[in-house]
Amino acid sequence: MPGAFYVTTPIYYPNAPPHIGHAYTTVYADVLARYHRLMGHETFYLTGTDEHGLKLQRAAERAGRHPKELVDEMAGVYKRYWAQLDISYDRFIRTTDPDHEELVKWALEEMRRRGYIYKGRYSGWYCVDCEKFYSEGEYRVVEGRPYCPIHMKPLEWVEEETYYFKLSSFEGSLRRILPERVYPEYYAREILGKIDKEGLRDVSISRPRERVWWGIPIPWDPGHTTYVWFDALLNYLTGAGLLRDRGRFERLWPAAHHVIGKDILWFHTVIWFSMLEALEIPPPRRVVVHGFLVNRGLKMGKSTGNVIMIEDLLGHYKTSDGVRYVLMRVFNLGKDVDVSLELFDSIYNSDLADNLGNLVRRVSTLAIRRLGGRVENRGVDGRLEGAVERALEEYHSSMERLDVSQAIQAIMAALREANAYINETKPWEKSDPTEELYTLLEAIRASANALQVVIPRAAQRTAEALGFKLAPPQPGLGGQEAYTVRDSPILFRKVK
Ligand code: ME8
């Protein structure tokens, strides 16, 4: 089997259901996973929920329930959303899973044995929503009080005994490895700039049990609970099988791709790479960082009240493919994307209904009417073949660069050419339109093979109607001997 591919999403806080911001990351990682599976790589896709810490403890207290009861229920909610969006994860990890708790304890013991953990006192301003301390200069001051710059809520003053992790030991190696492991690279420069400005201070990695009891106890001192981020980041090692399946871990880890939003870049670079080094484990192949979905200029989020929910889009387009497609079409690693229902509708209508859907409908109808559905290979028309070839090349090179949106647009451009080719060649006027229709069917097959990673249901439906088997997209048209077109489907109905 050539190569391996290990892709992860952040594990989400299950204090609330996911919205399209979470779907943005999760569908993207799914497309990458499907692409690599299709190309024959050993692929493992990990997602899940981040279930410990003060945020969940308080959410449970407010609901008058035990946190475990709450997270059990919410893990089910996340799984249902991901099933509705056809997310093909290989494991849904929960930080309350026994193999994960075991791994966290092992990691803490190892780091302590190597001298990277020591006890001290801590005081600082804390945001429970971020589960993070803010230093002066990082927080905002509103009416004389420190506020979280993300959630715009007052910070809490915390003063307590804690265990520290010696982050300050790792500055040299971070400077070396960040530029080659963070993608796109300018996010690495952003982090290096922050290190230049603020330096690296040791981080607090435990909370006194009387304040935060919902978490993994520090193995040698159960009066302390492991800090939720320290616990959460380690999920990527549990998922790859570090303690339970060493062989799998050895194959997957060098191919690890952590997909994250830019909000959690610091944790996934500075903190995570240092933790790994303390464990003598190499850094992941790449941390793949994307910008935010914003709405009316503000990051889409629960507290800002501007979220579009997954069920809104599912109800609107009626198919998971529609939702997956519009999210991936706007996907951008470098920039925040301002989205609205109007924007999504215009993409859905022009790409899926008018371009792809229309082409499949027209070609299948013509094949049935003019040739009784039987279309043989009597040569491929070079006029369209060239456009499809170029599109496939660009599709693969974009996928290699992890640019899913560009990959999609390359295929859409070829489909537009195919629609224009029908208008030019007018197969309905020909006495024998075999060559034109065969060429068009081959263009559709190539496109469905490519797009199946984004819109798996529509690709499958197209393959069934036109009579071909989905396969990895290969260069070169003319591979299928003949088509037996059975049906002329309406893949996507226009929305208003
Ligand atoms: O941070 N635009 O969980 P979380 C784009 N538990 N992406 C968005 C988004 C938006 N408006 N809103 C959310 C946590 N996301 C931790 C992670 S990992 C070891 C622990 C996505 O539930 C994006 O991927 O707050 C972001 O990084 C993530 O959800 C944050 O999810």
Side-chain angles (χ1 to χ4, degrees), residues 9-16 19-26 49-51 55 78 129-130 151 228-229 231-236 259-265 267-268 290-295 298-302 307 336-337:
T9 70
I11 45 172
Y12 305 112
Y13 291 126
N15 62 319
H19 55 68
I20 65 164
H22 304 99
Y24 190 60
T25 315
T26 309
T49 38
D50 185 359
E51 303 188 345
K55 197 206 274 269
Y78 273 73
D129 284 326
C130 295
H151 295 95
V228 58
W229 266 103
D231 163 354
L233 287 162
L234 289 163
N235 92 85
Y236 302 132
V259 178
I260 60 163
K262 65 182 183 185
D263 49 338
I264 53 180
L265 179 58
F267 288 107
H268 279 82
H290 64 69
F292 294 144
L293 286 185
V294 298
N295 186 228
L298 283 178
K299 179 186 173 202
M300 209 178 274
K302 269 276 136 55
V307 293
D336 291 351
V337 185

Side-chain angles (χ1 to χ4, degrees), residues 198-474:
E198 296 165 19
L200 281 184
R201 266 162 300 171
D202 294 348
V203 286
S204 155
I205 57 153
S206 70
R207 303 287 180 258
R209 196 174 154 75
E210 65 262 22
R211 197 167 67 82
V212 185
W213 61 270
W214 177 237
I216 301 176
I218 296 285
W220 61 88
D221 188 350
H224 291 260
T225 304
T226 309
Y227 172 43
V228 58
W229 266 103
F230 217 72
D231 163 354
L233 287 162
L234 289 163
N235 92 85
Y236 302 132
L237 297 181
T238 311
L242 177 63
L243 296 187
R244 299 275 172 107
D245 188 348
R246 189 76 202 194
R248 183 159 63 92
F249 180 80
E250 301 286 346
R251 292 192 305 278
L252 290 180
W253 189 251
H257 287 69
H258 299 317
V259 178
I260 60 163
K262 65 182 183 185
D263 49 338
I264 53 180
L265 179 58
W266 179 261
F267 288 107
H268 279 82
T269 51
V270 173
I271 310 261
W272 181 224
F273 289 11
S274 302
M275 288 169 69
L276 287 167
E277 195 173 332
L279 293 169
E280 292 175 5
I281 295 173
R285 173 75 194 82
R286 268 174 179 169
V287 176
V288 181
V289 191
H290 64 69
F292 294 144
L293 286 185
V294 298
N295 186 228
R296 285 167 275 134
L298 283 178
K299 179 186 173 202
M300 209 178 274
K302 269 276 136 55
S303 43
T304 18
N306 60 348
V307 293
I308 300 177
M309 295 301 285
I310 295 166
E311 53 270 36
D312 296 340
L313 292 187
L314 275 170
H316 194 50
Y317 300 127
K318 309 281 189 285
T319 83
S320 53
D321 281 355
V323 184
R324 292 169 61 96
Y325 186 86
V326 296
L327 290 175
M328 290 305 98
R329 175 64 182 72
V330 301
F331 193 89
N332 200 308
L333 290 172
K335 291 193 193 114
D336 291 351
V337 185
D338 210 315
V339 293
S340 61
L341 278 178
E342 293 73 36
L343 174 71
F344 286 146
D345 280 356
S346 76
I347 291 172
Y348 175 96
N349 283 336
S350 70
D351 285 7
L352 294 181
D354 292 344
N355 192 17
L356 171 63
N358 192 31
L359 181 70
V360 171
R361 177 91 172 150
R362 288 170 89 189
V363 172
S364 51
T365 306
L366 279 168
I368 292 170
R369 281 209 198 125
R370 296 299 315 280
L371 300 170
R374 179 79 188 163
V375 187
E376 278 166 16
N377 180 0
R378 294 217 212 103
V380 175
D381 190 337
R383 278 178 288 176
L384 188 54
E385 189 180 22
V388 176
E389 292 276 313
R390 280 192 299 282
L392 284 179
E393 264 169 44
E394 196 180 339
Y395 167 86
H396 284 295
S397 66
S398 302
M399 281 297 194
E400 294 304 320
R401 288 195 316 276
L402 309 175
D403 190 344
V404 168
S405 177
Q406 193 55 45
I408 290 175
Q409 289 179 63
I411 301 300
M412 279 296 150
L415 292 172
R416 250 172 243 118
E417 298 259 358
N419 270 311
Y421 174 83
I422 304 189
N423 300 345
E424 281 157 27
T425 56
K426 302 191 177 32
W428 56 89
E429 288 179 355
K430 298 234 147 92
S431 58
D432 181 4
T434 298
E435 184 180 331
E436 288 77 13
L437 290 178
Y438 178 81
T439 304
L440 284 159
L441 285 164
E442 280 289 275
I444 293 174
R445 184 168 73 91
S447 305
N449 282 337
L451 290 177
Q452 65 179 306
V453 298
V454 183
I455 46 171
R457 286 171 190 256
Q460 185 56 39
R461 178 85 181 83
T462 304
E464 280 160 16
L466 305 189
F468 64 87
K469 278 209 169 58
L470 288 172
Q474 304 285 2

Side-chain angles (χ1 to χ4, degrees), residues 88-145:
S88 64
Y89 58 77
D90 295 287
R91 175 169 174 185
F92 187 98
I93 194 169
R94 304 178 52 190
T95 49
T96 50
D97 286 341
D99 62 339
H100 178 68
E101 300 205 356
E102 180 193 329
L103 185 133
V104 171
K105 290 180 180 164
W106 167 85
L108 284 161
E109 292 280 18
E110 284 291 296
M111 292 182 197
R112 178 169 175 244
R113 196 169 60 75
R114 298 197 169 104
Y116 292 117
I117 292 180
Y118 65 94
K119 200 171 190 177
R121 284 193 70 76
Y122 193 88
S123 58
W125 291 103
Y126 197 72
C127 171
V128 179
D129 284 326
C130 295
E131 292 276 19
K132 180 179 153 133
F133 282 105
Y134 278 97
S135 58
E136 221 182 298
E138 281 182 331
Y139 58 66
R140 296 256 203 114
V141 180
V142 180
E143 291 171 353
R145 288 196 61 180

